[in-house]
Amino acid sequence: MNRYKSIATILLALIVSTMSIAVVGCTRKSIVPTQATSAIQTQVIKDITAKESFSLIQENSSNVNFVIVDVRTPSEFSEGHIKNAINIDFYAPTFREAIGKLDKAKMYLVYCRSGNRSTQTTAIMKDLGFREVYNIDDGIVGWNNNGYPTVK
């Protein structure tokens, strides 16, 4: 009989210990969200049309935290670009570093010629932790096809 009481006591102790560890582990996980989880929840990375881009630019015309980034080559940029855009050449060896130096808390509109380089750029910006990035899905070609203005 004493042998059964000893086994029962040991089993009860194991069950209580296991339950305590499980409860503490689950509680800690739910109370303390990871930084990665927080970053993912607050990011906005979105492809938009030229028409939506035009509206976004107009809505943010006086917003100092709104930046337009043209990722075409300098010669493409000089042929005509969206007003107030900055040029960061996608093909430059320092491209990722240059993008990484931008303020991650600002809102960005990114474009290239047809949407390929800017799509790759938004993926890089997402990986680098940028908060809000919009991509003109058909690039400056779509912009021009809609008759929106460019400057040289």
Side-chain angles (χ1 to χ4, degrees):
M1 187 83 163
N2 283 340
R3 182 173 171 199
Y4 291 118
K5 281 186 178 179
S6 295
I7 292 173
T9 304
I10 291 171
L11 285 174
L12 183 60
L14 283 172
I15 291 170
V16 170
S17 297
T18 303
M19 295 291 286
S20 297
I21 291 169
V23 169
V24 169
C26 291
T27 302
R28 172 171 245 171
K29 189 174 184 179
S30 64
I31 291 175
V32 184
T34 64
Q35 186 175 9
T37 302
S38 297
I40 290 170
Q41 291 173 347
T42 59
Q43 277 187 314
V44 174
I45 310 293
K46 185 177 178 186
D47 289 339
I48 59 176
T49 65
K51 184 176 181 178
E52 292 168 317
S53 301
F54 185 75
S55 295
L56 187 68
I57 291 168
Q58 290 189 323
E59 291 165 10
N60 288 282
S61 62
S62 61
N63 180 356
V64 296
N65 291 314
F66 178 72
V67 181
I68 305 167
V69 181
D70 183 323
V71 297
R72 297 177 300 155
T73 64
S75 63
E76 289 175 301
F77 184 79
S78 68
E79 292 172 4
H81 57 272
I82 297 173
K83 184 179 178 182
N84 298 323
I86 62 170
N87 183 222
I88 303 176
D89 183 358
F90 181 83
Y91 295 122
T94 57
F95 176 74
R96 187 178 177 96
E97 180 183 330
I99 289 292
K101 288 181 181 178
L102 298 173
D103 185 344
K104 292 171 181 56
K106 290 187 176 185
M107 180 192 324
Y108 294 90
L109 174 64
V110 181
Y111 73 95
C112 62
R113 189 184 72 76
S114 64
N116 183 29
R117 289 173 278 180
S118 58
T119 295
Q120 293 177 63
T121 300
T122 57
I124 290 168
M125 294 173 87
K126 179 180 181 181
D127 289 344
L128 292 174
F130 282 79
R131 184 181 63 81
E132 191 170 6
V133 183
Y134 298 92
N135 171 44
I136 302 179
D137 61 5
D138 53 356
I140 196 79
V141 170
W143 181 268
N144 289 332
N145 286 343
N146 280 281
Y148 298 128
T150 58
V151 296
K152 289 188 178 190

